[in-house]
Amino acid sequence: MGRGSGMDARGSDRATADGAPADAVTAEGTPADGATAEAAVTDTAITDGPTPDAETRAGGASRKRTWARAVRRAALALVLLLLLPTVAAETALRLNYSGTPERGTHTRDRDAIWLGHAWIDGRKTDADVTALVRRLRDTGIRDLYVHAGPLEHDGTLPASAYPKAGWLISTLHSRAPHIRIQAWLGDEVAPEKPYAMHLERAATRSAVVVSTRRILDAGFQGAHFDLEPLHSGDRNYLALLDALRSVTRARHAVLSVAAHQIDPLPALHSFWGTVTGHPKWWSQAYFGQVARRVDQIAVMSYDTMQPLQSLYGGYVAQQTSLALEVTPESTDLLMGLPFYHENRFGHWARAETVPAAVRGVRLGLSRTARDRARFGVALYVDFAATEADWTAYREDWVR
């Protein structure tokens, strides 16, 4: 913003031929009798109003004030434009957390838990398996997603990644035969991660299919895929799921995926992707397309950016309803529970709690499909869970 001008040149540089300032004259053009040039200038200033320089300064100051007001108003309008939808959305989430869950909205004995790589790389022992079986007893957990990857960026998976898989599977089956053990496979994907897995390459998708055959040959009863970040509408991912479904069906195995959250506002993934470069959410329609291609879909309903338990719980209730609306009855729908306690962008441990998540799940289930059988929760993740997490899961969901 420019600064106001200084003295007007006409007030300091112009002079008459005899050395008297041109402004120090009377209306008749002669100096006032007995008056100095300075007095004449003063009298002129008094009788004739502001000098041109004063007018310039006043005009500049007025323009500055007008511009400043316009900037402040524009800034306020922008803040309101951004803030009001957010406030409205957060208010809706808080209201979504109100009410009482319906009776019977508890476990259907189709729950799952993600287990870390330590279970198949040699770090766990028979005693750990015994403790795990004891932990799972009298819960609703049926599926274990055991980390057996990650996949290489070209889709391959070396057998050295899961050296103790056979031991874990046989030991668990001898002690808890009702438990299904799935291989948890994942990787980062392009285009958001250009150095990672490129699903648009047919050779890469074929390699993933081959890796899945081999992991099922190792004794796993299913393959659980967690590929991130997957943009909404990715047709290559759908093509991969179609190819994988042929393999798992032929082996009577489970095809399971970890799914992104659904747009809490219409087309939010498009807006967010444009602003941040990370779409984060899927459209509800795309979620349904994925759900129709798998046996089991687990929503990663955490890392939601919600700062309060009530808002997080309302968010989970909304996600549960949105997912239920488009997941076919033939597919198991599981909602993720945060069994970890990090504090970072997108996740506040004080807000994303198991009690808040379970209450949200029950509210969403109550409002949308109270009697749905193929439904459960998925616990993320075993190595970060606390006793309080397990207690909340048992008391609030298992009962």
Side-chain angles (χ1 to χ4, degrees):
M1 194 178 293
R3 300 173 65 181
S5 60
M7 286 288 289
D8 189 279
R10 293 173 299 175
S12 59
D13 294 337
R14 286 178 56 212
T16 61
D18 61 0
D23 290 346
V25 295
T26 64
E28 293 75 20
T30 59
D33 293 341
T36 64
E38 180 179 357
V41 172
T42 302
D43 290 343
T44 300
I46 294 173
T47 58
D48 295 339
T51 65
D53 181 61
E55 291 178 354
T56 300
R57 289 199 301 271
S62 178
R63 285 192 296 273
K64 287 182 182 178
R65 289 193 295 270
T66 300
W67 177 250
R69 284 195 299 269
V71 170
R72 287 196 296 270
R73 288 170 181 169
L76 178 60
L78 180 61
V79 169
L80 291 176
L81 183 65
L82 297 174
L83 189 59
L84 287 178
T86 302
V87 171
E90 296 295 79
T91 300
L93 292 182
R94 180 62 186 86
L95 292 174
N96 214 30
Y97 194 58
S98 62
T100 303
E102 295 283 346
R103 293 175 60 87
T105 51
H106 299 292
T107 187
R108 276 81 164 122
D109 296 321
R110 291 176 179 269
D111 303 335
I113 184 171
W114 282 277
L115 299 180
H117 203 79
W119 289 96
I120 58 170
D121 67 4
R123 283 177 283 172
K124 295 294 186 179
T125 66
D126 280 356
D128 294 311
V129 175
T130 299
L132 177 62
V133 171
R134 185 182 306 116
R135 171 75 77 183
L136 300 180
R137 188 176 298 131
D138 298 326
T139 70
I141 294 175
R142 179 183 62 169
D143 287 286
L144 308 182
Y145 305 143
V146 183
H147 191 265
L151 293 162
E152 300 293 330
H153 294 337
D154 62 1
T156 59
L157 180 67
S160 59
Y162 47 95
K164 292 290 186 178
W167 163 79
L168 177 68
I169 293 168
S170 62
T171 305
L172 269 172
H173 281 169
S174 66
R175 302 179 188 181
H178 68 287
I179 294 292
R180 291 191 308 197
I181 307 169
Q182 300 189 43
W184 168 14
L185 304 172
D187 193 16
E188 295 178 310
V189 295
E192 196 167 325
K193 307 290 184 179
Y195 57 84
M197 182 179 287
H198 283 256
L199 292 177
E200 76 276 11
R201 298 172 183 168
T204 299
R205 298 197 304 272
S206 295
V208 174
V209 173
V210 171
S211 297
T212 303
R213 287 197 186 100
R214 290 176 177 170
I215 205 76
L216 295 177
D217 288 341
F220 287 99
Q221 296 164 286
H224 174 80
F225 287 89
D226 178 16
L227 301 177
E228 302 181 47
L230 271 168
H231 292 184
S232 184
D234 190 324
R235 305 299 304 179
N236 298 306
Y237 181 56
L238 299 181
L240 173 62
L241 293 179
D242 288 337
L244 291 170
R245 188 70 178 273
S246 297
V247 173
T248 55
R249 278 183 170 175
R251 305 290 186 97
H252 303 287
V254 180
L255 176 58
S256 173
V257 295
H260 289 24
Q261 298 157 27
I262 301 172
D263 280 335
L265 296 172
L268 183 59
H269 72 277
S270 297
F271 170 78
W272 197 261
T274 301
V275 173
T276 69
H278 173 54
K280 182 176 174 65
W281 295 276
W282 286 350
S283 71
Q284 189 184 36
Y286 185 69
F287 186 97
Q289 290 177 321
V290 173
R292 288 192 292 274
R293 286 170 165 82
V294 298
D295 301 304
Q296 192 177 69
I297 186 167
V299 184
M300 295 180 285
S301 42
Y302 36 77
D303 294 346
T304 65
M305 298 182 286
Q306 298 303 320
L308 302 173
Q309 286 194 62
S310 58
L311 299 180
Y312 172 62
Y315 184 93
V316 173
Q318 181 200 43
Q319 288 291 306
T320 302
S321 292
L322 290 172
L324 282 167
E325 288 170 358
V326 292
T327 302
E329 291 287 343
S330 57
T331 301
D332 285 343
L333 172 64
L334 279 63
M335 302 302 297
L337 302 186
F339 268 42
Y340 66 104
H341 302 272
E342 300 174 7
N343 283 297
R344 50 181 167 75
F345 177 75
H347 178 82
W348 297 96
R350 68 171 185 269
E352 296 194 13
T353 66
V354 175
V358 170
R359 177 176 167 79
V361 167
R362 295 186 62 208
L363 285 168
L365 184 63
S366 298
R367 295 164 182 160
T368 313
R370 181 185 64 182
D371 298 323
R372 183 185 174 104
R374 302 182 74 98
F375 184 85
V377 297
L379 290 45
Y380 182 84
V381 59
D382 74 305
F383 54 79
T386 65
E387 286 300 325
D389 294 331
W390 282 104
T391 298
Y393 162 68
R394 286 176 176 274
E395 292 182 353
D396 298 345
W397 179 246
V398 178
R399 298 204 178 189

